[in-house]
């Protein structure tokens, strides 16, 4: 997936790329998931840019941004996103994150309670893996550190992020894109994403909408118990909700934005 309408921001010698379009408050900042890029929001950015300033970033190690040979972590991504918000003078944006991007959004809001006006978290893995998936996770992490990492990534994405009802063309496009990410990004970013410290339970300091996929391993009750006060909606599709059900996703976000103080 590519997009040539990107702007650059340099941070500590690393170039971060992003799109910046539209106008209007509140500004919206879209953060993609693990091994993805800003184009995975292709059905949201032009839609919301009609009435909001919309920024969509390629995280460090992803998309068109630089990919230094380093470990990648949720705190590191949070620092990059906070710097981007400051440099672009985004005034308390609504931060919208899918999967790992939702984990980044949660930790960003907790690190600085004034930085975001609200969060929209799209099917982020914010609950511990159940016992029946723990051994699979260990196998996947080992495989991502092996010479066969691309095949392991492709198999993991196909099995865990799509269902029999997912559009086949979309699934193949996403699997090909995600499995082409740098190996060190793959295994270090996912390890940080599923680490307990990345999903500390407790209230979220700003209004938060959680859009959950029907295939999520954690139930609605589990999410509500872990994060008291969140608004939660389940959509009948697999992990890439914003791509499988774009109109429904956009409507949920719009309704949430309309009710913000």
């Amino acid at each position: 997936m590519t997009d040539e309408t990107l702007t650059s921001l340099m941070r500590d010698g690393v170039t971060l790329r992003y799109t910046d379009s539209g106008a209007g408050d509140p500004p919206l900042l879209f953060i993609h998931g693990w091994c993805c890029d800003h184009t995975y929001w292709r059905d949201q950015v032009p839609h919301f840019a009609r009435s909001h300033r919309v920024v969509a970033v390629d995280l460090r190690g992803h998309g068109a941004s630089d990919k230094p040979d380093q470990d990648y972590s949720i705190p590191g991504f949070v620092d990059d996103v906070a710097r981007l918000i400051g440099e672009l003078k985004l005034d308390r944006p609504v931060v919208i994150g899918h999967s790992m991007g939702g984990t980044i959004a949660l930790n960003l809001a907790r690190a600085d309670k004034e930085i975001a006006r609200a969060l929209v978290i799209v099917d982020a893995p914010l609950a511990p893996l159940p016992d029946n998936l723990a051994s699979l996770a260990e196998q996947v992490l080992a495989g991502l550190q092996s010479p066969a990492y691309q095949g392991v990534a492709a198999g993991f994405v196909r099995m865990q992020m799509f269902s029999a009802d997912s559009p086949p063309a979309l699934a193949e496009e996403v699997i090909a894109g995600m499995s082409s990410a740098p190996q060190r990004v793959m295994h270090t970013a996912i390890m940080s994403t599923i680490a307990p410290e990345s999903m500390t339970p407790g209230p979220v300091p700003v209004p938060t909408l959680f859009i959950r996929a029907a295939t999520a391993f954690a139930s609605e009750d589990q999410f509500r118990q872990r994060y008291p006060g969140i608004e939660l909606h389940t959509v009948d599709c697999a992990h890439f909700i914003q791509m499988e059900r774009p109109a429904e996703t956009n409507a949920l976000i719009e309704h949430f934005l309309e009710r913000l103080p």
Side-chain angles (χ1 to χ4, degrees):
M1 299 183 184
T2 60
D3 187 316
E4 301 305 321
T5 59
L6 291 166
T7 306
S8 299
L9 169 72
M10 182 76 73
R11 178 170 191 251
D12 300 332
V14 175
T15 299
L16 302 177
R17 307 293 301 278
Y18 61 91
T19 65
D20 191 347
S21 57
D25 290 322
L28 310 180
L29 173 60
F30 286 88
I31 308 175
H32 62 78
W34 175 74
C35 294
C36 300
D37 61 46
H38 74 280
T39 65
Y40 288 65
W41 296 109
R42 63 196 181 201
D43 293 307
Q44 285 70 49
V45 169
H47 177 86
F48 286 100
R50 299 171 192 164
S51 52
H52 299 267
R53 183 182 179 190
V54 176
V55 173
V57 64
D58 279 355
L59 295 168
R60 177 187 299 243
H62 296 75
S65 290
D66 284 352
K67 302 169 181 62
D69 185 19
Q70 62 172 79
D71 286 351
Y72 291 80
S73 69
I74 296 301
F77 291 134
V78 166
D79 287 347
D80 280 346
V81 171
R83 174 69 174 273
L84 183 71
I85 290 171
E87 290 291 328
L88 298 186
K89 295 180 171 56
L90 295 176
D91 181 18
R92 298 191 68 223
V94 176
V95 181
I96 303 170
H98 172 245
S99 194
M100 182 183 79
T103 304
I104 295 166
L106 173 69
N107 285 272
L108 175 75
R110 284 178 164 172
D112 181 348
K113 294 178 175 57
E114 300 300 320
I115 200 167
R117 188 169 314 192
L119 306 180
V120 178
I121 297 174
V122 183
D123 208 46
L126 291 177
L129 292 172
D131 292 342
N132 65 320
L133 290 181
S135 60
L136 172 62
E138 291 178 4
Q139 293 172 27
V140 170
L141 287 172
L144 293 177
Q145 297 175 70
S146 77
Y149 71 96
Q150 289 181 309
V152 172
F156 170 66
V157 173
R158 184 183 302 278
M159 181 173 60
Q160 297 296 325
M161 300 187 186
F162 292 97
S163 71
D165 296 324
S166 297
L170 174 64
E172 294 307 319
E173 176 189 9
V174 169
I175 291 165
M178 293 180 69
S179 61
S180 66
Q183 184 177 17
R184 195 165 177 185
V185 174
M186 285 188 186
H187 72 82
T188 61
I190 200 170
M191 286 179 67
S192 184
T193 300
I194 64 174
E197 59 269 24
S198 296
M199 57 180 80
T200 305
V204 185
V206 295
T208 298
L209 168 65
F210 193 108
I211 304 176
R212 172 186 172 273
T215 55
F217 60 80
S219 69
E220 289 189 2
D221 285 345
Q222 284 177 292
F223 282 122
R224 288 194 176 102
Q225 289 169 10
R226 287 184 66 81
Y227 306 101
I230 65 168
E231 178 179 337
L232 191 145
H233 292 272
T234 295
V235 178
D236 188 17
C237 69
H239 182 61
F240 282 89
I241 302 172
Q242 78 275 24
M243 303 178 87
E244 289 202 26
R245 298 286 190 275
E248 188 171 352
T249 301
N250 293 352
L252 286 169
I253 296 173
E254 284 176 340
H255 185 55
F256 178 68
L257 294 176
E258 289 168 358
R259 291 178 287 113
L260 287 178

